[in-house]
């Protein structure tokens, strides 16, 4: 049923013309010409039944004129000329019909009103007053002529039944004609309105996307500026220190203890710079080349043991104890390199911000399909006013308990790397008492 309706609708579009090639008025004229053609054929059949030979010839003439006008409108795209020709011929035919079809007692005036609706729908606004005035003049003139000379307008109906049939059929067909015209125009404008709404919606979505892209670009630009600020500040400071210490070492007259102290400071500054460069390179790779996440099954206990082993010497120099309380293997799904960077950064921060003699404890528990790893310290904690921005680039680099400079990029990168692995990171901190950083990762399925 739908396919038949679709094929019929497509055939009608072919008869009226494509929207992309024909204006609404042109297509409407073509459509109305088709409807009028069939109505005139019905009138012709009716007139043959009641033997009105004059109207038969008039209808044949109108059908021929209408066919020619449709041809020029549909295939020559000269619909304005076709409208004028069809209107003029219709006026002549209707005036003749008035005199041969019982005048005011016949259907001519109804058809006149129907014709006016046709012209109102299709002609240009500046021509409407002309056609409207012409209808009034012609209609009133016909009534006056009939009133003054009734002998010119004989009653041509053979009986009362014929009059009722003619008036009734004219009334019905006129309603059908007006309905077809108005419905076609309504459908056209509804379709145009729907298209306009769709275009407006598409433009709104496009504008929304542009706004989002601009916001994203602005965010990226702000982060780029912040990154350059971090690099210029955090990288320049240790390099200046290393340069200064090397200049002192180049001088003679230093005692063995002084040289040993300077060498220790050089080692610390070099390690800090190495950590910063490692974070910076990891961040740059993630931002410029995009992230490739290789999630595999990882033994959490083994990774934490390996990570803490590399940090024991740094903790020992400050007299900090690192306790790994993980006793049983826990297997998670994570990217090995990303997880290693996250754990290393959390341990670095814990060591930096824990006072000499303090303790760092690493724990892990299983909790409803995920493993939760915590790194707690007895350090100085995070000030309340800084806790909100701790995972963003808005946070400032701070100094540790032995004047070690914090790496402002580290926690932001940890947050992104955990997101990439479908994990989470959060913290609890009490200023003056210490902090606990948590990360969670999915457990492997048995």
């Amino acid at each position: 049923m739908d396919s038949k309706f679709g094929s019929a609708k497509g055939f009608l579009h072919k008869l009226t013309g494509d929207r992309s090639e024909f204006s609404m008025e042109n297509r409407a004229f073509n459509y109305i010409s088709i409807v009028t053609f069939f109505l005139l054929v019905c009138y012709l059949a009716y007139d043959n039944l009641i033997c009105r030979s004059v109207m038969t010839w008039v209808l044949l003439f109108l059908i021929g004129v209408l066919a020619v006008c449709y041809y020029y409108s549909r295939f020559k795209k000269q619909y304005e000329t076709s409208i004028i020709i069809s209107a003029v011929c219709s006026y002549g035919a209707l005036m003749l019909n008035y005199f041969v079809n019982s005048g005011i007692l016949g259907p001519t005036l109804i058809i006149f009103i129907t014709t006016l609706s046709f012209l109102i729908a299709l002609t240009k606004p500046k021509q409407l007053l002309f056609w409207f005035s012409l209808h009034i003049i012609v209609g009133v003139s016909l009534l006056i002529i009939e009133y003054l000379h009734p002998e010119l307008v004989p009653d041509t109906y053979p009986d009362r039944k014929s009059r009722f049939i003619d008036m009734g059929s004219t009334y019905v067909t006129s309603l059908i004609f007006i309905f077809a015209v108005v419905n076609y125009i309504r459908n056209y404008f509804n379709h145009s309105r729907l298209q306009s709404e769709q275009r407006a919606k598409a433009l709104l979505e496009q504008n929304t996307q542009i706004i989002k892209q601009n916001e994203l670009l602005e965010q990226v630009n702000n982060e780029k500026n912040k990154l350059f600020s971090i690099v210029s500040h955090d990288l320049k400071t240790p390099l200046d220190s290393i340069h200064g210490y090397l200049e002192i070492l180049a001088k003679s007259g230093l005692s063995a203890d002084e040289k040993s102290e300077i060498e220790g400071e050089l080692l610390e500054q070099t390690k800090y710079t190495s950590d910063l460069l490692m974070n910076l390179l990891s961040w740059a790779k993630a931002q410029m080349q995009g992230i490739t996440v290789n999630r595999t099954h990882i033994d959490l206990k083994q990774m934490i043991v390996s990570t803490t082993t590399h940090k024991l010497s740094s903790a020992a120099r400050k007299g900090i104890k690192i306790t790994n309380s993980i006793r049983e293997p826990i297997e998670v799904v994570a990217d090995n390199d990303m997880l290693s960077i996250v754990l290393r950064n959390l341990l670095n921060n814990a060591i930096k911000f824990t006072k000499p003699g303090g303790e760092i404890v690493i724990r892990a528990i299983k909790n409803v399909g995920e493993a939760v790893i915590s790194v707690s310290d007895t350090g100085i904690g995070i000030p309340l006013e800084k806790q909100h921005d701790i995972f963003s680039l808005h946070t400032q680099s701070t100094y540790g308990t032995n004047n070690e400079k914090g790496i402002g990029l580290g926690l932001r990168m940890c947050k992104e790397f955990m997101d990439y692995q479908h994990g989470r990171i959060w913290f609890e901190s009490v200023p003056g008492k210490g902090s606990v950083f948590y990360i969670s990762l999915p457990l492997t399925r048995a």
Side-chain angles (χ1 to χ4, degrees):
M1 184 69 178
D2 290 340
S3 61
K4 291 181 179 179
F5 177 76
S7 61
K9 191 174 181 180
F11 178 69
L12 180 60
H13 283 171
K14 288 183 179 180
L15 292 177
T16 57
D18 190 81
R19 290 177 181 269
S20 61
E21 298 180 19
F22 294 83
S23 66
M24 186 276 288
E25 294 83 0
N26 196 343
R27 297 179 73 245
F29 176 80
N30 297 339
Y31 175 78
I32 293 170
S33 297
I34 296 170
V35 173
T36 306
F37 180 87
F38 285 105
L39 291 177
L40 290 177
V41 170
C42 292
Y43 269 123
L44 180 63
Y46 171 74
D47 282 328
N48 283 328
L49 287 176
I50 62 176
C51 301
R52 293 193 301 193
S53 58
V54 175
M55 284 307 303
T56 298
W57 287 108
V58 171
L59 289 173
L60 285 173
F61 170 75
L62 288 177
I63 290 172
V65 170
L66 191 62
V68 172
C69 290
Y70 170 78
Y71 172 79
Y72 275 94
S73 173
R74 173 62 181 86
F75 299 101
K76 301 296 184 179
K77 299 181 181 179
Q78 297 179 5
Y79 85 96
E80 293 183 5
T81 303
S82 299
I83 289 175
I84 295 174
I85 294 174
S86 60
V88 170
C89 292
S90 298
Y91 269 94
L94 287 173
M95 286 188 288
L96 177 62
N97 186 69
Y98 187 86
F99 289 102
V100 299
N101 197 12
S102 303
I104 195 172
L105 299 177
T108 306
L109 293 180
I110 297 177
I111 303 175
F112 256 113
I113 295 174
T114 306
T115 306
L116 179 61
S117 68
F118 163 76
L119 293 172
I120 290 174
L122 298 182
T123 55
K124 294 181 178 180
K126 61 183 181 181
Q127 297 176 353
L128 289 180
L129 183 60
F130 169 77
W131 292 114
F132 181 75
S133 301
L134 184 61
H135 264 72
I136 293 178
I137 294 171
V138 171
V140 171
S141 298
L142 291 173
L143 290 172
I144 292 174
I145 292 172
E146 182 178 3
Y147 181 79
L148 296 177
H149 302 281
E151 70 278 3
L152 297 177
V153 187
D155 187 356
T156 58
Y157 291 106
D159 51 41
R160 186 167 176 267
K161 179 180 178 181
S162 299
R163 185 190 308 278
F164 272 84
I165 292 174
D166 193 22
M167 295 295 292
S169 61
T170 302
Y171 175 75
V172 171
T173 53
S174 295
L175 286 181
I176 293 173
F177 178 85
I178 293 173
F179 174 80
V181 173
V182 174
N183 187 63
Y184 182 85
I185 295 174
R186 280 174 58 89
N187 288 337
Y188 184 92
F189 280 110
N190 286 338
H191 180 78
S192 299
R193 179 176 57 81
L194 181 61
Q195 285 186 327
S196 298
E197 290 176 353
Q198 291 175 342
R199 285 194 295 268
K201 184 178 180 181
L203 286 174
L204 181 60
E205 292 177 353
Q206 185 178 6
N207 289 337
T208 303
Q209 290 295 327
I210 292 173
I211 291 172
K212 289 181 179 180
Q213 290 176 357
N214 289 338
E215 290 175 351
L216 180 60
L217 287 174
E218 184 177 357
Q219 179 182 354
V220 170
N221 187 61
N222 291 336
E223 292 190 355
K224 177 200 69 177
N225 293 336
K226 181 64 179 177
L227 179 61
F228 285 150
S229 175
I230 291 172
V231 173
S232 62
H233 185 268
D234 291 6
L235 192 58
K236 183 176 183 298
T237 301
L239 289 177
D240 288 343
S241 299
I242 292 172
H243 182 266
Y245 286 134
L246 288 175
E247 283 185 341
I248 295 173
L249 283 176
K251 297 179 181 179
S252 57
L254 293 175
S255 64
D257 291 339
E258 290 174 333
K259 285 186 176 182
S260 177
E261 182 180 355
I262 290 174
E263 287 170 354
E265 291 292 337
L266 274 172
L267 180 61
E268 288 298 320
Q269 292 292 337
T270 303
K271 291 185 66 177
Y272 164 76
T273 306
S274 176
D275 288 339
L276 175 61
L277 286 174
M278 180 63 70
N279 282 341
L280 181 59
L281 291 173
S282 299
W283 171 273
K285 180 180 179 182
Q287 299 300 313
M288 297 176 65
Q289 299 181 0
I291 285 294
T292 301
V293 182
N294 183 23
R295 298 173 71 225
T296 59
H297 295 181
I298 295 175
D299 187 338
L300 198 56
K301 178 183 177 182
Q302 182 179 351
M303 170 164 280
I304 290 176
V305 169
S306 175
T307 304
T308 54
T309 299
H310 290 87
K311 298 300 177 182
L312 289 176
S313 58
S314 298
R317 275 192 294 273
K318 292 184 66 174
I320 297 171
K321 180 182 178 182
I322 298 180
T323 302
N324 181 3
S325 64
I326 302 176
R327 296 291 177 261
E328 60 177 348
I330 299 177
E331 198 170 67
V332 296
V333 181
D335 183 285
N336 187 77
D337 294 334
M338 289 185 182
L339 182 57
S340 177
I341 290 172
V342 170
L343 291 173
R344 189 167 63 246
N345 273 277
L346 294 181
L347 280 174
N348 278 341
N349 286 343
I351 293 170
K352 282 184 176 67
F353 300 109
T354 299
K355 295 179 181 179
E359 184 179 11
I360 299 171
V361 180
I362 304 173
R363 298 181 178 89
I365 60 171
K366 295 180 180 180
N367 180 30
V368 192
E370 65 178 6
V372 179
I373 306 102
S374 64
V375 178
S376 61
D377 61 59
T378 57
I380 60 176
I382 303 170
L384 293 176
E385 65 272 12
K386 293 185 177 181
Q387 291 186 11
H388 180 72
D389 294 326
I390 198 68
F391 291 117
S392 72
L393 286 176
H394 298 294
T395 186
Q396 299 292 326
S397 301
T398 53
Y399 290 89
T401 53
N402 272 5
N403 208 34
E404 312 101 319
K405 197 167 188 307
I407 302 173
L409 193 62
L411 288 176
R412 169 57 186 267
M413 186 172 61
C414 290
K415 173 69 169 63
E416 289 197 6
F417 280 6
M418 291 306 300
D419 290 341
Y420 288 136
Q421 299 175 91
H422 306 304
R424 296 181 295 138
I425 182 170
W426 69 100
F427 71 94
E428 298 172 354
S429 183
V430 179
K433 293 187 178 180
S435 303
V436 184
F437 277 82
Y438 301 91
I439 60 173
S440 67
L441 289 164
L443 290 167
T444 59
R445 296 181 179 180

